[in-house]
Amino acid sequence: MNSLDKDSQKAAARVGLVSDTIVIHGGKPLHGRIEVRGAKNLVTKAMVAALLADTPSVLKGVPEISDVHVVSGLLRAHGVEITELEPGVLRLDPSNVKGAHFAEIDAHAGSSRIPILFCGPLLHQLGEAFIPDLGGCRIGDRPIDFHLDALRAFGATVEKKHEGIHLTAPQKLRGALIELPFPSVGATEQVLLTAVRAEGTTELKNAAIEPEIMDLIAILQKMGAIISVEPNRVIVIEGVEKLDGYLHTAIVDRNEAASWAAAALATKGDITVGGARQQELMTFLNVYRKVGGAFDVLEDGIRFWHPGTPLKPVTVETDVHPGFMTDWQQPLIVALTQAEGVSIVHETVYENRFGFTEALNEMGANIVVHKDGIASITRRVPRRKLEQAAVITGPTPLHGAAVRVPDLRGGFSHLIAGLAATGTSTISNVGIISRGYELFIDKMRALGADFELV
């Protein structure tokens, strides 16, 4: 069994998923309503932020996903007491923060890249931190150099050892002037979580400004931090000596909402996504409408459906917020296989995010990946060395196949493809999907999907 299989089975077990393989009998439209809760990309970071406080925090809207269990395990290993007050509501008490043994950290960290964000809070609380080898989805290099360079700028000492990275803070961490070479979400989170209790002022240039980043800033401000979001991707943080716990309801997961929207389009269905918000999905909604999808913004969510008219091809360039999210392109590509004409998706954020298209081609799609991207005078997003492009020619009827999930978003795309295809599909390693999609098996059942767990 390889590491991906092991990670998938561990992820499935954390959320009580009894099987890691699903058999889908596709070709049936999905109809109904499902609910989405807190964003994976905010909730896990908000849980880490609780480490910075001297008093307990309460986080609401916490989804039942594997990554939440990973972070909970890491926090408990460091002495944080976590209590589920009711479903989706966690109380996090950092009163007895302590160092954790390597084996305890390593037992959890192999399935997530979030341990790197523990560094700043632990350096403030304990004066040291240890980070083992990092896991996460296999969608590119995703180097941690941004993180380590930022921590060094604050005054941390970084020592790379065989089993991982050991960090110490010989002096109190101090504010710094930091400019990121790319608006990395993870590096921006690292700077925020470190700067809020550093001595002096930190100025972060070329910061990420995703909605989840703004929600994290809102949490830190509730805790007592002083953070100014200024023009041109500049964030200024004035360090404070202490922080208190927070009470916060997490922003809803826009990536999950967009994924179910794509499922409605690909299966010619009609899905209402309760909790979805227009403001965080505006860029996606524009593309959805251009493709030919229909949507209606409700008071408590968004209804997405296929209007019965032919889908139209589009050209999409992924980018940092407020651009088209890289996490949106994989589910959308499944729907684009049914559009009449040639669509192009330029992936500019990660260098290896089209691996999932191989399985779609086995199911009848016509997708050609250009490893070095495609130059065009109509491009709006500046080209990057790592970028790739996918050319999707449609419409091509999809048929069932045996598919192995490669990563989180690609895996959900395989589910959509299986649901849209005629015949039977066997999809393995679905545990990976539970890292970011809450109760997706129950939601598929609620929407009328025909499947069984093996």
Side-chain angles (χ1 to χ4, degrees), residues 24-32 259-271 288 304-308 311 331 334-338 398 412-422 444 447-450:
I24 298 175
H25 309 289
K28 303 174 180 64
L30 298 182
H31 287 276
S259 297
W260 287 112
L265 202 56
T267 66
K268 298 182 178 180
D270 188 332
I271 300 175
Y288 197 78
F304 298 94
W305 74 95
H306 189 304
L311 301 184
V334 182
L336 291 178
T337 65
Q338 304 310 303
L398 300 180
F412 197 85
S413 301
H414 290 162
L415 280 186
I416 297 173
L419 292 164
T422 57
M444 287 170 57
L447 294 172
D450 184 0

Side-chain angles (χ1 to χ4, degrees), residues 6 104 166 179 243:
K6 291 178 181 177
E104 289 182 284
H166 184 241
E179 183 168 2
L243 294 171

